[in-house]
């Protein structure tokens, strides 16, 4: 497998998964739940008053960065593993490590687990769906890449 092929799949699957979870934000917000809390905070590290278009671009770029490790995991996983399920577990693990621990600690916020299910569930569900979508969309890439011998 070539690096270029991996990067193209990262952009493809990462974009699809990032777009797939966009509708969750207005749905959860309409229900009065917290979602997307760290997007503006993270963008605020680099830009004053980040506008919605910039938050959207950031969302896509973070999606790409988050996709690459999952693709590497899928490529290394045993063939009988179900990629969407592996992706869902990755999404849950990503939420726990990044969104429920690293970001709240960095920004000196309460951990979502301390704030309750209404804070945890929206983002956790979004991350699980994100990972599962990558697992689903990358199935052909993963099976093809596994079938090709690695050049020595």
């Amino acid at each position: 497998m070539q690096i270029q092929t991996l990067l193209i799949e990262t952009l493809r699957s990462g974009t699809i998964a990032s777009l797939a979870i966009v509708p969750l934000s207005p749905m959860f917000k309409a229900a009065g739940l917290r979602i997307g809390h760290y997007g503006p905070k993270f963008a605020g590290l680099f830009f004053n008053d980040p506008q919605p278009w910039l938050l959207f671009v950031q969302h896509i770029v973070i999606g790409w960065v988050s996709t690459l490790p999952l693709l590497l995991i899928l490529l290394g996983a045993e063939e009988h593993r179900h990629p969407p399920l592996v992706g869902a577990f990755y999404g849950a693990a990503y939420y726990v490590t990044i969104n429920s621990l690293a970001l709240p600690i960095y920004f000196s916020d309460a951990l979502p687990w301390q704030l309750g299910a209404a804070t945890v569930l929206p983002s956790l569900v979004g991350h699980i769906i994100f990972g599962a979508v990558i697992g689903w969309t990358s199935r052909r890439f993963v099976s093809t890449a596994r079938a090709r011998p690695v050049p020595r």
Side-chain angles (χ1 to χ4, degrees):
M1 177 191 51
Q2 296 178 351
I3 287 271
Q4 181 181 4
T5 307
L6 176 62
L7 293 177
I8 289 169
E9 184 60 29
T10 297
L11 296 177
R12 189 184 79 81
S13 288
T15 300
I16 293 168
S18 295
L19 294 174
I21 63 171
V22 166
L24 296 177
S25 183
M27 290 179 1
F28 285 133
K29 284 182 181 179
L33 303 173
R34 185 176 103 170
I35 187 86
H37 181 72
Y38 287 104
K41 284 187 168 202
F42 186 73
L45 295 173
F46 308 99
F47 302 96
N48 293 328
D49 191 29
Q51 298 302 302
W53 69 267
L54 181 64
L55 296 175
F56 179 74
V57 170
Q58 173 186 264
H59 174 74
I60 299 297
V61 171
I62 290 172
W64 295 337
V65 171
S66 304
T67 298
L68 183 58
L70 176 52
L71 290 177
L72 294 172
I73 290 167
L74 289 169
L75 289 169
E78 297 174 18
E79 281 192 50
H80 69 276
R81 300 283 183 209
H82 190 58
L85 186 59
V86 172
F89 280 112
Y90 172 84
Y94 187 99
Y95 170 76
V96 169
T97 55
I98 304 298
N99 289 72
S100 82
L101 293 172
L103 289 171
I105 290 168
Y106 181 82
F107 287 107
S108 300
D109 291 342
L111 300 179
W113 309 96
Q114 297 168 317
L115 302 174
T119 302
V120 172
L121 290 177
S123 189
L124 177 60
V125 167
H127 283 86
I128 289 171
I129 291 171
F130 176 82
V133 169
I134 292 166
W136 179 260
T137 59
S138 68
R139 290 172 305 147
R140 179 176 287 148
F141 164 77
V142 170
S143 66
T144 303
R146 280 187 188 141
R148 286 190 215 131
V150 177
R152 293 181 189 248

